Amino acid sequence: MIKISENGLEQVDKILKDLPNVAKDIKLRAVRRAALAAKAEASRQGRNRYNLKSEEINKTFEFTKPNKNNISATLVSTGERIRLMKYKVNPKNVPKKRRVVKVSVIKGQGMKTLESAFVAKMQNGTVGVFQRLGRERVPIKQLYGPSVPQLFKEPTVKNAILKKAEDVLENRITHELGRYIGE
């Protein structure tokens, strides 16, 4: 979870001590933009690390925007493990003949061969990577990769997102103050 709040923005209150509503608006706009930048950076970090599309990463985010009553924003990533088919898989579709399944979950690492796995289409239309649980044809289980929230637990990723949010917050405060004073 990443939280951006108005703490540390006392400089805006000092500069605009006679106009508290204007100071609040400036802080609100700056925190909102910093939170949106943090969300974009989180998505970027996820795409840089995993072989996933941005849609898969972005749908895990719960984002609370700041408002007049609460000048803070939170970005939380929640979700379950992602089907292996959403990552880089070869073959991507159900092959006519049995083929060896290769998967790459993390970018920069080669494709790993899954000896006993196969790509199949289920009755509900879902194409996935499956594995038999015994020597019989059934039961089978679908294979999954890591979840997106696991990525954001890494300190390097979390620090990159926080740094981006801090930089944008600082720039937006400067910009909003200049915009108000320049008017």
Side-chain angles (χ1 to χ4, degrees):
M1 178 173 91
I2 295 182
K3 185 169 185 170
I4 301 167
S5 63
E6 64 178 322
N7 297 346
L9 300 179
E10 295 85 23
Q11 64 190 19
V12 176
D13 291 330
K14 287 179 187 174
I15 293 170
L16 300 171
K17 61 183 171 241
D18 297 333
L19 304 164
N21 287 340
V22 174
K24 195 171 193 176
D25 285 345
I26 287 174
K27 290 189 285 188
L28 178 71
R29 283 192 214 116
V31 168
R32 182 177 295 146
R33 287 290 288 267
L36 290 173
K39 182 179 177 186
E41 183 64 21
S43 178
R44 193 174 302 113
Q45 289 289 325
R47 289 191 318 271
N48 288 343
R49 179 89 169 116
Y50 286 148
N51 279 317
L52 278 175
K53 294 183 178 176
S54 63
E55 173 189 355
E56 292 298 319
I57 295 169
N58 289 339
K59 71 181 182 183
T60 67
F61 293 138
E62 292 176 16
F63 180 61
T64 57
K65 292 181 182 177
N67 56 45
K68 296 259 184 197
N69 299 328
N70 183 14
I71 302 182
S72 67
T74 55
L75 178 65
V76 179
S77 179
T78 58
E80 297 177 354
R81 295 173 61 204
I82 299 172
R83 296 183 312 123
L84 212 51
M85 204 66 197
K86 298 285 184 178
Y87 293 95
K88 187 175 179 182
V89 176
N90 189 6
K92 200 69 171 155
N93 297 318
V94 180
K96 289 186 169 68
K97 288 198 229 172
R98 181 168 166 81
R99 287 180 55 193
V100 175
V101 177
K102 293 182 178 182
V103 179
S104 176
V105 173
I106 298 174
K107 281 191 177 178
Q109 293 182 354
M111 304 239 345
K112 305 251 188 307
T113 303
L114 301 176
E115 295 295 334
S116 60
F118 58 94
V119 176
K121 186 174 186 177
M122 295 291 100
Q123 289 178 343
N124 65 2
T126 303
V127 177
V129 178
F130 296 90
Q131 194 172 36
R132 298 195 192 289
L133 295 177
R135 296 194 57 75
E136 304 295 318
R137 287 184 59 82
V138 289
I140 60 174
K141 71 172 182 175
Q142 188 166 8
L143 301 178
Y144 292 87
S147 67
V148 174
Q150 286 176 336
L151 167 73
F152 300 119
K153 290 181 182 176
E154 292 181 26
T156 55
V157 173
K158 199 169 191 175
N159 290 340
I161 296 167
L162 288 172
K163 181 168 177 15
K164 179 70 172 181
E166 288 170 2
D167 291 345
V168 169
L169 184 63
E170 193 174 300
N171 290 340
R172 294 311 300 175
I173 288 290
T174 306
H175 172 80
E176 294 292 337
L177 281 171
R179 187 171 154 246
Y180 180 74
I181 293 170
E183 289 179 350

